[in-house]
Amino acid sequence: NAGVMQNPRHLVRRRGQEARLRCSPMKGHSHVYWYRQLPEEGLKFMVYLQKENIIDESGMPKERFSAEFPKEGPSILRIQQVVRGDSAAYFCASSPSSGQGIPYGYTFGSGTRLTVV
Amino acid sequence: AQTVTQSQPEMSVQEAETVTLSCTYDTSENNYYLFWYKQPPSRQMILVIRQEAYKQQNATENRFSVNFQKAAKSFSLKISDSQLGDTAMYFCAFIIQGAQKLVFGQGTRLTINP
């Protein structure tokens, strides 16, 4: 039973390019959470999605960032026109349904490290 | 505001020693869950131990135990008989029951020396 799969593991983009980060939740999980870890900091919540729905995007920057979780396929975190400040590790977690992951702290993927040059 | 504070940016101990990592948090809620995560250089977030706020008994997982003081909003992690493989960043976090967001501290970089 594969865990939460994120790819790519490392992504380098030039300023102004687009970054697409993918997250495949654990089998049977329909809820996905994205977190961002800036250098030397803890993880910060970005967005919570269910299949085809954004439930809570209160942690998402207002511009350039978007997320989706289509009916088929992985969840995508998209960053348009990247800037140096977007350089960070982006983590995805999943849970079977709302609330079921909470007592157990979720299972995280290994993250994607985005470097903007 | 819900916050987590880890006051020790870095710690270093000798192998086999016992080390305690500090964590305080702030919330007005009464029902929540507390966690310690380990993040080795591989970057994987590994759940070390968890505690339900409604339980007075401190959680224990092998060499890892917590000292949970609800009134003081304190949740420290004790690692006994430390091993070289314990070298990592350690993050304290909590989540409110019914909410979806984990709130993390800044982390403590722990180094175990041979």
Side-chain angles (χ1 to χ4, degrees):
Chain A
N1 182 18
V4 178
M5 304 301 292
Q6 290 188 249
N7 65 81
R9 185 154 175 77
H10 301 278
L11 182 61
V12 179
R13 285 287 177 267
R14 295 187 183 280
R15 280 177 293 173
Q17 290 185 321
E18 178 180 286
R20 279 179 172 252
L21 288 63
R22 289 178 291 279
C23 169
S24 295
M26 290 181 69
K27 188 176 181 181
H29 287 193
S30 58
H31 296 237
V32 164
Y33 313 82
W34 285 94
Y35 286 77
R36 177 166 67 173
Q37 183 181 27
L38 294 170
E40 303 303 316
E41 292 190 13
L43 279 68
K44 286 188 167 52
F45 171 83
M46 297 182 75
V47 62
Y48 160 44
L49 309 102
Q50 296 176 19
K51 289 276 189 182
E52 301 182 282
N53 280 306
I54 297 174
I55 306 303
D56 182 350
E57 56 181 348
S58 58
M60 288 278 270
K62 293 289 185 281
E63 298 178 349
R64 303 186 296 107
F65 284 71
S66 62
E68 63 176 7
F69 189 18
K71 187 176 180 180
E72 301 291 338
S75 175
I76 305 289
L77 180 67
R78 181 182 178 205
I79 311 172
Q80 296 179 289
Q81 299 175 323
V82 297
V83 301
R84 288 252 172 88
D86 297 333
S87 295
Y90 292 82
F91 288 88
C92 172
S94 71
S95 68
S97 65
S98 177
Q100 284 196 23
I102 290 172
Y104 307 100
Y106 301 129
T107 297
F108 284 89
S110 295
T112 293
R113 181 176 297 283
L114 172 65
T115 301
V116 180
V117 298
Chain B
Q2 296 169 350
T3 59
V4 176
T5 301
Q6 293 180 248
S7 59
Q8 305 149 313
E10 294 188 22
M11 295 190 73
S12 179
V13 299
Q14 296 298 119
E15 192 176 7
E17 289 183 346
T18 293
V19 60
T20 298
L21 308 183
S22 301
C23 172
T24 58
Y25 58 93
D26 188 23
T27 179
S28 58
E29 300 291 331
N30 195 47
N31 297 317
Y32 48 87
Y33 302 87
L34 295 150
F35 308 93
W36 278 97
Y37 281 91
K38 171 185 177 181
Q39 187 180 44
S42 67
R43 206 170 63 221
Q44 178 73 45
M45 292 293 287
I46 301 166
L47 182 62
V48 174
I49 197 164
R50 54 186 285 271
Q51 171 86 40
E52 294 93 335
Y54 61 84
K55 287 188 177 179
Q56 291 188 339
Q57 185 174 4
N58 290 323
T60 299
E61 290 285 344
N62 300 315
R63 298 182 296 107
F64 299 88
S65 61
V66 298
N67 183 2
F68 173 45
Q69 302 291 328
K70 190 172 184 180
K73 295 182 182 174
S74 170
F75 184 60
S76 62
L77 174 69
K78 185 171 85 170
I79 306 174
S80 303
D81 187 25
S82 58
Q83 301 174 358
L84 297 179
D86 295 333
T87 293
M89 284 289 290
Y90 286 80
F91 293 98
C92 177
F94 79 95
I95 190 166
I96 304 301
Q97 187 171 8
Q100 303 295 335
K101 308 174 193 178
L102 274 164
V103 179
F104 284 85
Q106 299 279 78
T108 295
R109 184 179 303 279
L110 176 64
T111 302
I112 309 298
N113 299 306

